[in-house]
Amino acid sequence: MLPYVIKCLILQPVMYAMKRNILQFIVFVVSLLSLCGCAQTYNNVLKCTDNEYKYEFAKEMYARGKYNQAITVLQDIVTIYKGTGNGEECLYLMAMAQFHNKDYETAAEYFKKYHKTYSKGIYAEQANFYIGESLFMGTPEPRLDQTQTIGAIAAFQDFLDIYPESKMKDLAQDRLIQLQDKLVRKELLSAQLYYNLGSYFGNCLSGGSNYEACIVTSQNALKDYPYSNSREDFNLLIMKSKYYLAKHSVEERQAERYRDAEDECYGFINEYPDSKSITLAKEYIRHCKKHLGEKMDVADMDETNTPAP
């Protein structure tokens, strides 16, 4: 009885572990052989002179998500197939492989090439959409240069002009909104930077001031993006910059600029009556009137007299 118990408690777990390790080893060997076989097949394809075989292999690699291998093989035959029955699909497949491989700049160029070459082709609509989509995927964060963002906007606008009834119309329009928001964000960051620099003169060697630069940048953004959700942010920066521009002006310019700042504050209150910055606007008005020797209006005396920032 004791040997049987020992076998159950000790030998069976050991045997199970051995079987498990053997199975894992077999799986590893099979996987390794498979990888070696794939590598050997891939190398053979690269040396092969049968373009049709290469083309079918590239399509298989693309379907399996092996985009690097598909691209390498397609690069050998995409020019050869130009003008043939497979040329159109080959070029489109190359563009899509580059897109999925996240080489968006190269993908955009191939999609442009496809649409120019096969403007009436079977993939023409998708290719035209993916020109914008490739540029969209490659756009940088708002703090950086937005040249590619502008290019993506132009591409999507072209797509909507050419294919106004496309099934991808809604997605293209959504992309345009996202791209425009990125440009607005870029302008808002620029205006905020000018405001934060304030009275620092290091970057004002050509005249003017940072507050004036903030005002101009914000006003231009309001004209360029009239439906932006950041309108209040821009108007707030204008109001604050005009107040501090007056505060830091030479004496002979202060009266004029305080009146301008006061008008801006009233305009802000009228346009955004529920804004969290209403108290700040009224404080600016109080200080402007004080410097101008004017009395406060009754409507402006409902806030505590705290110093303006």
Side-chain angles (χ1 to χ4, degrees), residues 165-297:
E165 303 302 324
S166 172
K167 294 180 180 179
M168 294 177 284
K169 176 181 68 176
D170 290 342
L171 180 56
Q173 290 174 335
D174 182 66
R175 292 289 194 245
L176 282 173
I177 292 172
Q178 293 181 55
L179 290 164
Q180 188 178 83
D181 286 345
K182 186 170 284 192
L183 293 181
V184 171
R185 181 64 179 164
K186 170 74 171 178
E187 294 303 306
L188 186 58
L189 289 171
S190 297
Q192 185 67 58
L193 177 61
Y194 284 126
Y195 176 78
N196 291 342
L197 288 172
S199 57
Y200 172 67
F201 291 103
N203 62 327
C204 301
L205 300 179
S206 59
S209 74
N210 293 309
Y211 292 122
E212 288 176 308
C214 177
I215 293 167
V216 171
T217 300
S218 299
Q219 288 174 337
N220 288 339
L222 290 171
K223 291 177 184 176
D224 293 338
Y225 311 104
Y227 305 109
S228 167
N229 293 327
S230 299
R231 288 188 63 84
E232 182 179 340
D233 297 320
F234 284 116
N235 278 304
L236 179 60
L237 283 171
I238 293 171
M239 180 182 73
K240 292 163 70 174
S241 293
K242 284 190 174 184
Y243 173 78
Y244 280 107
L245 180 61
K247 188 174 181 179
H248 293 284
S249 294
V250 294
E251 187 174 352
E252 56 267 26
R253 299 292 305 274
Q254 280 193 329
E256 173 194 351
R257 287 178 170 174
Y258 271 122
R259 288 191 183 91
D260 187 29
E262 183 181 356
D263 289 343
E264 191 67 40
C265 292
Y266 279 120
F268 182 87
I269 292 171
N270 290 333
E271 188 168 355
Y272 307 102
D274 299 321
S275 172
K276 295 179 181 179
S277 300
I278 290 294
T279 300
L280 179 63
K282 291 185 176 182
E283 277 303 307
Y284 284 164
I285 290 172
R286 186 175 71 82
H287 283 267
C288 288
K289 286 186 177 296
K290 180 180 178 181
H291 284 280
L292 292 170
E294 299 174 356
K295 294 183 179 179
M296 287 287 291
D297 297 333

Side-chain angles (χ1 to χ4, degrees), residues 50-90:
D50 186 342
N51 293 325
E52 188 65 29
Y53 179 71
K54 281 186 172 183
Y55 180 51
E56 293 302 322
F57 180 82
K59 289 198 290 186
E60 181 184 350
M61 292 299 100
Y62 177 86
R64 291 168 60 181
K66 297 182 180 296
Y67 302 117
N68 276 324
Q69 292 186 8
I71 290 168
T72 303
V73 176
L74 286 169
Q75 284 173 336
D76 285 346
I77 60 176
V78 68
T79 304
I80 296 172
Y81 271 135
K82 184 178 180 180
T84 69
N86 291 331
E88 179 180 351
E89 185 180 38
C90 187

Side-chain angles (χ1 to χ4, degrees), residues 86-105:
N86 291 331
E88 179 180 351
E89 185 180 38
C90 187
L91 184 56
Y92 182 73
L93 196 65
M94 169 67 93
M96 288 301 300
Q98 296 285 4
F99 179 84
H100 288 302
N101 206 38
K102 299 182 179 181
D103 187 350
Y104 299 119
E105 185 176 351

